[in-house]
Amino acid sequence: MKRTTTKLADGRELTYYDLDESAARDTVDRRALDPVDSRPELRLDLTTGDWVTIASHRQGRVHHPPTDACPLCPSADGHHSEIPAADYEVAVFENRFPALAGRFGRCEVVCFTPEHAASFADLTEGRARLVLDAWTDRTARLSSLPGVEQVYCFENRGVEIGVTLAHPHGQIYAFPFVPPRTAKMIAVAGTHRSVTGGNLFEDLLAEARSAAARVVLAGEHWTAFVPYAARWPYEVHIYPHRRVPDLTHLTEAERAEFPGLYLDLLRRFDRLFRPEGGPEQTAPTPYISAWHQAPRRGGEELALHLELFTVRRSADKLKFLAGVESGMDSFVNDIAPEDAAHRLREAAA
């Protein structure tokens, strides 16, 4: 992998990741951009102890532009985007409308491909591996920044999720605090250790692998399974068989196997809601794909894993977070985890 770092016209950092070691990434950003004016504020919710980010400047971010004005496509005649080059493989840049910035962390955008109409599932295994390597590199670099407590790599896909740009991309948040979900997992894992003497995530993986009804895919180094208490209609967790804290600790064998398994799973998600006897794929399945990594401090019991889930519960129904979920953070799932796993196994090509 070749990494080339440069600057955009307003001083933000842009990094190209290439499989081709000879790739030249010297195109200059010729846009006339005003300096980024992002001043997010962190406020503590005293009733829960959770940090809330106030980022009112994000109201002005780009919202569903036409294809020929997409800011994530390569630059071309008459269109200067966030990517100055006429082509790229994977590109990562600082978000112009960040929720976190300066001493309050950092937000980056990860462009998976220059193809506007593609998706992550359309990538080759080689290109998916390049994205994995980019995630790993960004995890290492962002973790070293002063004040960063946790690095979170994720992808939102689909208007149903709230995506404002159709181009296939993900994001990375470098949090200056430990987010609530991670804090809760740390507490539960600590209790599990004190009660059982074992590691919570190792035990969860062992239990899932022994419960064949909830396993979707399994390889030599990774297993994808529906959790026993899945919150979302179709939710799959992917664990490496060897517990590691974050992406930087994976072995070459683990990195090599992951892209094929992950691409298989994404394509199964897209086949979930095709009509009986209909085309291979209708509307792409909306999803969130989220890497959970241990924070810099206090996460010794945590384990790297990826959580992939969709808000779609049938071809024409969505799972809305209404009064119980949004008001009380108490989930009700309409699909039994064993049934979800069965349907995903049946969704093979």
Side-chain angles (χ1 to χ4, degrees), residues 2 18-24 89:
K2 180 180 181 181
D18 290 284
L19 293 171
D20 182 1
E21 290 288 340
S22 66
E89 293 187 356

Side-chain angles (χ1 to χ4, degrees), residues 138-160:
R138 300 317 301 165
T139 294
R141 292 175 182 276
L142 294 176
S143 294
S144 69
L145 295 179
V148 170
E149 292 296 328
Q150 185 175 24
V151 176
Y152 174 49
C153 307
F154 64 101
E155 180 190 359
N156 297 329
R157 187 223 207 177
V159 294
E160 299 90 340

Side-chain angles (χ1 to χ4, degrees), residues 4 15 26-27 37 73 109 114 123 126 157 175 209 219 230 236 241 289 291 308 336:
T4 307
T15 303
D26 53 4
T27 307
D37 183 22
C73 287
V109 177
L123 299 180
R157 187 223 207 177
F175 285 104
R209 294 184 70 192
V236 178
H241 295 168
S289 178
W291 279 110
L308 174 69

Side-chain angles (χ1 to χ4, degrees), residues 296-346:
R296 291 172 69 175
R297 288 180 286 271
E300 295 80 12
E301 288 292 323
L302 300 191
L304 170 73
H305 64 283
L306 185 141
E307 298 183 6
L308 174 69
F309 59 89
T310 180
V311 298
R312 184 169 287 165
R313 54 193 175 95
S314 68
D316 58 352
K317 294 183 178 70
L318 298 179
K319 168 66 176 177
F320 292 102
L321 299 190
V324 172
E325 289 89 356
S326 294
M328 293 300 288
D329 197 21
S330 179
F331 275 69
V332 178
N333 191 350
D334 302 302
I335 308 292
E338 294 76 13
D339 293 341
H342 176 71
R343 287 209 59 200
L344 283 163
R345 287 195 299 271
E346 285 193 326

Side-chain angles (χ1 to χ4, degrees), residues 186-200 203 301:
I186 289 173
V188 173
T191 300
H192 184 86
R193 172 68 74 178
S194 65
V195 171
T196 69
N199 176 265
L200 171 64
D203 291 349
E301 288 292 323

Side-chain angles (χ1 to χ4, degrees), residues 162-302:
V163 171
T164 59
L165 296 174
H167 194 105
H169 72 288
Q171 300 180 63
I172 304 176
Y173 274 33
F175 285 104
F177 54 86
V178 176
R181 184 164 167 79
T182 300
K184 183 180 292 187
M185 286 193 289
I186 289 173
V188 173
T191 300
H192 184 86
R193 172 68 74 178
S194 65
V195 171
T196 69
N199 176 265
L200 171 64
F201 296 91
E202 291 175 349
D203 291 349
L204 285 174
L205 176 60
E207 184 277 332
R209 294 184 70 192
S210 68
R214 290 189 286 106
V215 172
V216 179
L217 292 168
E220 182 181 354
H221 302 287
W222 299 82
T223 293
F225 62 93
V226 178
Y228 175 74
R231 298 179 302 165
W232 300 94
Y234 293 91
E235 175 180 348
V236 178
H237 294 188
I238 310 176
Y239 278 52
H241 295 168
R242 185 180 62 93
R243 181 166 65 94
V244 296
D246 59 40
L247 290 165
T248 68
H249 287 77
L250 292 174
T251 65
E252 173 56 31
E254 291 161 344
R255 297 179 194 283
E257 184 180 82
F258 176 80
L261 185 143
Y262 184 51
L263 290 171
D264 186 348
L265 188 59
L266 290 179
R267 291 161 187 166
R268 288 169 188 260
F269 264 63
D270 274 340
R271 288 189 288 266
L272 268 176
F273 303 107
R274 65 184 180 188
E276 188 70 28
E280 180 72 7
Q281 178 179 329
T282 52
T285 298
Y287 64 73
I288 291 174
S289 178
W291 279 110
H292 288 266
Q293 308 192 82
R296 291 172 69 175
R297 288 180 286 271
E300 295 80 12
E301 288 292 323
L302 300 191

